[in-house]
Amino acid sequence: MESFSLSLANNAILTGLRTPAPSDTPPKDTPLIVAIHGGSYSASYYDATPQNSGASYSTFLRVPFLAIDRPGYRGSTAVRSPIPEDSSYLQEEGKYFHHQVLPAIWNAYGADYGVSSIVVLAHSLSVPMAIVAAALHANNATTTKEQAYPLAGIILSGYGTSLNHDTMSRMQPFFKLQGDRLQVPAEIKDDVMLNKALPGLTDPEIFEKTEELNTDLGLAELVDSNEDTWGVWRHRYMPFVRCPVLYNLAGEDNLWKVNAETLRDFVAPFHTSVRVESGIVPGAAHSMELSRCSRGWYARVFGWAVECGVGHGLGKF
């Protein structure tokens, strides 16, 4: 994947990685997958190694793939502060994603890639961001015929309804606070994100990449991610999402409680979505795209995105 830097309408900068534009026209109704990483990673999360990358699936299926550095990560401009009193960091990040990021990506690369829609792939702390954007996009569709970008679906993983507090308690003593950013040392990150205690979940090559993939995360986004804020997403945004939703939890996730009940609780508020699918991926750690299961997960992500693109092109939603 190649680096990109994009100027947004508000003069902010967005950086990330993307697959090159195809040399020929892709199949009709092909979507662009826009991937957003979780806390303490960057766009390189989606291009970690040749085995753990969306790039090969992009080439094989002729579906363009673009991964952004979230606001405040790498070269991407941070979300402006202060945060309004009736909002929160992750809500404002979602609004920023909807109003600034996705329109800019569509204007810059939609025609270049020859695509007809966007499917968002979100992991962990970026999941609320995708939900907010999808809800706002659906709301705009009822108030205006003009859309800043065509959204065909959202794919969510690594974010649940009930945190594993034992894991959080084990992590907190290792956090290093620098201003409004937190650093997570590699040794605790391997334990939590990749569940290193369980052998066989992750290829050894990935552990050699931990330092390279690691980056600091914003304190505000971490504070905003807990059971107390679950009601915000459940009541204020999720019921208004109309595009298709694919939601999966990693079976060996160390951060969230994973069972049939938490799975049902998460997807239940998406009652106006035209299509909701959910499941648990056995043998996958929290950072599913870095697990050995990533090949199967990426295959499903790209296949499901193609289905969404075709359905969107046919006017099914």
Side-chain angles (χ1 to χ4, degrees):
M1 296 176 72
E2 59 188 31
S3 300
F4 74 86
S5 181
L6 192 61
S7 296
L8 307 184
N10 65 345
N11 297 319
I13 299 296
L14 179 75
T15 59
L17 300 171
R18 69 184 186 104
T19 54
S23 57
D24 58 349
T25 303
K28 184 180 179 181
D29 295 326
T30 292
L32 164 64
I33 298 178
V34 175
I36 41 180
H37 61 85
S40 75
Y41 286 107
S42 67
S44 60
Y45 173 82
Y46 292 102
D47 192 35
T49 72
Q51 293 294 326
N52 298 88
S53 173
S56 57
Y57 299 86
S58 173
T59 300
F60 179 72
L61 292 172
R62 299 169 68 194
V63 176
F65 187 64
L66 181 151
I68 70 166
D69 295 314
R70 283 172 52 211
Y73 284 83
R74 303 299 188 197
S76 291
T77 306
V79 172
R80 292 178 179 174
S81 57
I83 302 298
E85 290 186 6
D86 61 345
S87 187
S88 65
Y89 181 85
L90 293 178
Q91 290 181 72
E92 292 304 303
E93 190 176 41
K95 295 172 188 176
Y96 182 83
F97 189 53
H98 169 67
H99 291 295
Q100 299 293 336
V101 173
L102 287 175
I105 289 173
W106 181 249
N107 290 334
Y109 302 121
D112 190 32
Y113 280 132
V115 295
S116 61
S117 62
I118 286 175
V119 173
V120 173
L121 169 62
H123 177 255
S124 197
L125 283 175
S126 70
V127 165
M129 181 177 172
I131 292 171
V132 171
L136 294 176
H137 185 273
N139 181 64
N140 284 1
T142 63
T143 58
T144 176
K145 295 181 180 180
E146 296 296 325
Q147 289 290 314
Y149 60 93
L151 182 65
I154 57 175
I155 302 172
L156 315 174
S157 71
Y159 197 91
T161 61
S162 182
L163 282 166
N164 186 331
H165 291 286
D166 290 341
T167 299
M168 295 303 296
S169 297
R170 192 168 71 250
M171 287 178 66
Q172 287 176 358
F174 292 90
F175 288 152
K176 298 177 181 178
L177 183 61
Q178 293 186 338
D180 61 353
R181 308 288 294 183
L182 286 173
Q183 289 185 333
V184 184
E187 59 271 18
I188 192 66
K189 192 165 183 178
D190 283 346
D191 175 30
V192 174
M193 305 296 190
L194 301 175
N195 208 341
K196 194 175 183 178
L198 290 180
L201 299 184
T202 307
D203 288 326
E205 184 182 6
I206 290 295
F207 295 115
E208 297 172 3
K209 289 273 189 176
T210 299
E211 290 285 4
E212 179 183 334
L213 295 173
N214 199 15
T215 184
D216 54 4
L217 73 153
L219 177 60
E221 64 183 279
L222 188 63
V223 170
D224 202 14
S225 177
N226 55 63
E227 289 98 333
D228 294 336
T229 59
W230 167 237
V232 173
W233 321 121
R234 182 177 59 193
H235 297 298
R236 191 178 294 184
Y237 298 103
M238 297 170 82
F240 303 100
V241 173
R242 290 211 300 271
C243 68
V245 177
L246 173 62
Y247 173 66
N248 271 241
L249 279 172
E252 306 299 337
D253 196 315
N254 252 345
L255 279 176
W256 300 96
K257 294 178 182 177
V258 180
N259 53 55
E261 182 180 359
T262 58
L263 196 72
R264 287 194 301 268
D265 287 347
F266 190 92
V267 298
F270 288 121
H271 50 76
T272 59
S273 170
V274 298
R275 176 186 180 187
V276 180
E277 294 185 26
S278 62
I280 296 172
V281 181
H286 173 76
S287 294
M288 196 147 55
E289 287 82 358
L290 301 181
S291 299
R292 288 175 57 212
C293 286
S294 68
R295 290 180 299 160
W297 173 238
Y298 270 126
R300 188 172 190 203
V301 163
F302 275 80
W304 199 82
V306 168
E307 294 175 15
C308 288
V310 173
H312 184 272
L314 292 172
K316 298 299 182 181
F317 48 87

